Amino acid sequence: MDSFSSSSKSNPWQRPPVIRQQSAKPLSTAFIGLVLMLWPWRLTAQELIVNESVHNARISQNEARLFFTMRLPFWENNLPVKVFVLPDDHPLHRQFAKNVLGLFPYQLRQVWDRQIFSGTGQAPITVATEQEMVKRVASTPGGIGYVESASAYSQVRTLEVR
Amino acid sequence: MRHLLLITAFLAMLGPTSAHAEGSESLWDGLQVHGFASQAAIWTSENRFFGNSPETSFAFTEIGLNASLPINPRILLSGQLLARRAGDMYDGTPELDYGLADITLASSNEQRWGVRVGRVKNPLGIYNETRDVPFTRPGIFLPQVIYYDKIRNLALSTDGLMFYGESYIDQGALSLTLGGGQPVIDDNVGWTFLRNNYDGEFQTDNKTGLVQLWYSTPGERFKFGLSGIMLSLRFDPGQHSPLRSGTTDIFYWIASIQYDTEDWTLSAEYLREPLAWDDYGPLFPNFKTTVEGYYLQGTYRIRPNIELLMRYEEGFANRNDRDGVRFSTRTGGLFPPFAGFSKIWTAGLRWDINRQWMVRAEYQRHHGTFVLSFRENPDLGQLREYWNLFAVQAAFRF
């Protein structure tokens, strides 16, 4: 900003349109860059959501992993846990697994497959879209899932993962 | 049968109360049904592996169907039927792969304790529990020096009880399984342990026990495991058997390590299996040996749905006679030395086309024939020391 205004002020008569154009370009690039940096970052800050019946305010990353690997059958208030996930190749699922759970998507699949095909556990319920995820978590007592940004949905609670 | 009665009695006690507590929710809402099917084509340059492979074998088919039903959040009932055709070793008759009740006795965010009752898959090594599900394997074939297909049933499952405990701490997760019961055996046991199908039947003594211990770091980057099964087989000779009533004692244990990154998974396992044959009579003198095997394996995900496999493995019928010469001499040359070991290079490619379909291809270079089934290769004189294998497989799941 400063360099732009000072350069146009110090040389107001020397080819002003050219200088304006040249300095305006990096400025708009910087602005777009800033938007690209901040906006998707806010978008990809996936959040863990739960049904209204769940009273926990926050859980640890370790606990979040236990819920999504189907190892915790109950909430603190003894409500059965119902886990909802998006398909393995869904971008939101991949982001959530890596950023929130700290697991690679293929690791989750391995854990679920071992349980499904050895009879020692069940798979989470797979939903097709983020909207369906919200709907199912909102309507299932003990439900847990995830969204891109929970502020858009009032019918579910956000659970902070420390 | 006794186990089934036990399970039923247990459920009769617990089932109805939970159903009432759930209110409007139906018991059947939690039912999950999954399945898989696969078909492979196998070609070998020499020696028979999964059928008449020198002339291209299609005799490797896997079909599985399972269901699981949580009676309440603490009790899961599950069962799987498996039809598996594998060359001359298995004909594809459907069998109960597992059928169990998994009961969580205590659970918190720090630990979980429970027991599995019924026919339970043995949690041995990284792959044994789901060894017949193509999607859970790194290749078309598991490393044969550890997960033998010539005698898979002995280590496959147990009719009995398995207690498990898991502890979750900030430094990782620790899990322990203790099991006991009756191993499920078939006539490949005779072919492998007596090198022939003599008239008679194998029974198991009540000395069967299983232990498994795993530690994994947070995020499951590193996993370390130790698992083992101890069992004793008694041979009840038939009228025409040249052998007497002998016993075979088996202790099969595996040390495992696995490291995961986003693109790579590196695995290594080491097997040792001390074996002792006693009292089979003069035709089959008392004998002790220690089978050994290990492999190093890397899988690389080029893309989330395309995976490369590289593996090197070695296995020995007797770790004190790794080149097989001593045993060959003892048998007067009937057994070629190379039948006592296998050294195998494997390269493979896997493509998960979509959520249901997967195809893959695999090449193996073999030195030695230790991993081959005597049932498929009864004429030892026909065995060839160096051979190649090429296989493709298509698999479906839901």
Side-chain angles (χ1 to χ4, degrees):
Chain A
M1 263 308 197
D2 282 343
S3 68
F4 170 69
S5 47
S6 66
S7 70
S8 59
K9 263 177 193 167
S10 56
N11 303 302
W13 54 86
Q14 249 183 358
R15 301 163 65 190
V18 178
I19 290 167
R20 266 174 187 269
Q21 247 181 345
Q22 274 179 340
S23 48
K25 228 177 188 175
L27 194 73
S28 61
T29 314
F31 178 70
I32 291 166
L34 200 70
V35 170
L36 281 176
M37 259 170 63
L38 293 176
W39 190 47
W41 177 78
R42 281 195 61 84
L43 257 188
T44 52
Q46 307 78 28
E47 290 182 277
L48 203 153
I49 55 165
V50 289
N51 182 271
E52 293 287 351
S53 58
V54 174
H55 301 313
N56 305 45
R58 62 178 69 85
I59 55 172
S60 67
Q61 190 184 44
N62 231 345
E63 285 173 291
R65 282 189 198 123
L66 293 176
F67 282 117
F68 281 90
T69 52
M70 314 295 281
R71 287 179 178 120
L72 275 181
F74 297 105
W75 290 102
E76 273 171 22
N77 58 4
N78 278 328
L79 210 60
V81 176
K82 296 272 159 65
V83 183
F84 295 92
V85 294
L86 290 162
D88 288 11
D89 52 2
H90 195 289
L92 173 53
H93 173 77
R94 304 186 62 81
Q95 296 287 333
F96 174 78
K98 273 200 282 187
N99 300 341
V100 181
L101 299 181
L103 291 172
F104 303 119
Y106 75 87
Q107 292 180 304
L108 278 173
R109 173 48 59 195
Q110 280 174 2
V111 171
W112 297 333
D113 278 353
R114 184 172 302 128
Q115 289 165 348
I116 296 169
F117 293 109
S118 66
T120 57
Q122 286 196 309
I125 299 154
T126 307
V127 294
T129 62
E130 191 178 331
Q131 285 67 38
E132 198 191 337
M133 169 81 83
V134 174
K135 222 175 101 187
R136 295 293 294 276
V137 171
S139 64
T140 311
I144 179 171
Y146 49 84
V147 289
E148 202 76 78
S149 166
S151 56
Y153 309 105
S154 59
Q155 60 272 53
V156 288
R157 286 189 50 225
T158 314
L159 208 55
E160 189 194 333
V161 180
R162 285 171 301 178
Chain B
M1 255 299 120
R2 215 174 49 213
H3 298 311
L4 280 177
L5 281 174
L6 201 74
I7 296 164
T8 318
F10 204 85
L11 295 177
M13 263 162 41
L14 291 152
T17 47
S18 70
H20 284 302
E22 295 287 330
S24 61
E25 234 181 289
S26 159
L27 177 70
W28 297 100
D29 285 353
L31 180 74
Q32 284 190 5
V33 178
H34 294 277
F36 60 90
S38 81
Q39 176 62 50
I42 301 149
W43 172 87
T44 55
S45 57
E46 348 269 336
N47 305 329
R48 284 165 56 95
F49 187 67
F50 283 67
N52 191 16
S53 51
E55 286 170 24
T56 307
S57 166
F58 295 94
F60 184 25
T61 314
E62 300 159 303
I63 300 168
L65 183 69
N66 71 54
S68 60
L69 179 69
I71 297 292
N72 65 39
R74 287 192 186 281
I75 301 175
L76 180 72
L77 294 186
S78 62
Q80 176 162 282
L81 283 175
L82 175 71
R84 185 173 181 275
R85 188 170 59 123
D88 303 342
M89 299 173 285
Y90 298 92
D91 63 2
T93 310
E95 285 173 31
L96 182 69
D97 192 34
Y98 61 78
L100 61 96
D102 188 324
I103 301 153
T104 305
L105 300 171
S107 126
S108 73
N109 53 13
E110 279 156 4
Q111 50 189 303
R112 185 164 76 126
W113 298 89
V115 61
R116 299 181 178 123
V117 189
R119 177 167 294 180
V120 188
K121 299 300 281 287
N122 290 332
L124 297 168
I126 299 173
Y127 299 110
N128 194 62
E129 269 179 295
T130 57
R131 62 185 292 161
D132 300 316
V133 186
F135 293 87
T136 67
R137 292 196 298 257
I140 297 173
F141 305 103
L142 281 174
Q144 295 290 306
V145 300
I146 291 183
Y147 303 94
Y148 321 122
D149 275 306
K150 58 180 178 179
I151 172 171
R152 56 196 277 289
N153 275 13
L154 203 57
L156 189 66
S157 56
T158 301
D159 286 343
L161 282 169
M162 278 193 209
F163 290 92
Y164 62 90
E166 290 169 5
S167 171
Y168 319 115
I169 48 174
D170 290 340
Q171 290 77 31
L174 206 59
S175 85
L176 173 73
T177 306
L178 293 172
Q182 181 117 3
V184 184
I185 56 174
D186 61 40
D187 52 2
N188 283 294
V189 173
W191 278 100
T192 300
F193 284 115
L194 300 176
R195 300 180 208 105
N196 209 325
N197 202 18
Y198 292 111
D199 178 25
E201 252 186 69
F202 272 103
Q203 309 280 339
T204 50
D205 286 354
N206 50 9
K207 277 196 239 166
T208 301
L210 178 142
V211 182
Q212 180 222 36
L213 188 67
W214 275 101
Y215 165 73
S216 63
T217 58
E220 310 201 355
R221 293 291 181 276
F222 267 110
K223 278 178 265 184
F224 304 94
L226 266 180
S227 47
I229 189 166
M230 198 182 268
L231 44 113
S232 183
L233 299 174
R234 199 178 60 249
F235 180 69
D236 288 340
Q239 271 190 332
H240 309 290
S241 170
L243 300 186
R244 294 188 191 151
S245 165
T247 57
T248 306
D249 292 312
I250 302 161
F251 177 41
Y252 172 102
W253 66 265
I254 304 173
S256 318
I257 180 167
Q258 194 163 51
Y259 175 62
D260 283 340
T261 72
E262 182 150 28
D263 299 330
W264 285 92
T265 297
L266 302 173
S267 319
E269 294 197 283
Y270 176 87
L271 160 87
R272 203 180 274 192
E273 187 184 9
L275 295 163
W277 290 264
D278 289 302
D279 309 324
Y280 283 98
L283 269 177
F284 201 105
N286 290 359
F287 186 64
K288 269 186 172 50
T289 181
T290 300
V291 178
E292 185 181 50
Y294 44 81
Y295 72 86
L296 280 170
Q297 173 182 281
T299 52
Y300 177 68
R301 283 164 286 277
I302 304 172
R303 288 172 32 194
N305 63 339
I306 297 183
E307 193 177 87
L308 287 175
L309 161 74
M310 279 295 281
R311 181 169 64 220
Y312 180 68
E313 58 194 293
E314 291 190 346
F316 309 97
N318 183 351
R319 69 184 298 266
N320 297 313
D321 181 27
R322 286 191 174 130
D323 57 10
V325 171
R326 274 189 8 227
F327 189 74
S328 180
T329 312
R330 261 183 65 164
T331 59
L334 179 70
F335 266 72
F338 60 79
F341 62 84
S342 272
K343 299 173 184 184
I344 313 164
W345 280 100
T346 301
L349 178 69
R350 166 182 179 159
W351 177 29
D352 286 274
I353 302 169
N354 56 35
R355 288 167 208 158
Q356 269 87 45
W357 285 95
M358 181 258 286
V359 287
R360 55 185 163 199
E362 199 161 310
Y363 168 76
Q364 294 186 344
R365 171 73 180 158
H366 284 254
H367 179 200
T369 61
F370 167 57
V371 300
L372 294 177
S373 162
F374 292 113
R375 194 175 193 175
E376 292 202 304
N377 299 275
D379 185 355
L380 297 169
Q382 295 278 312
L383 289 174
R384 292 292 172 268
E385 182 169 1
Y386 292 92
W387 52 291
N388 297 303
L389 175 149
F390 182 72
V392 290
Q393 184 181 47
F396 173 80
R397 67 177 290 169
F398 70 89

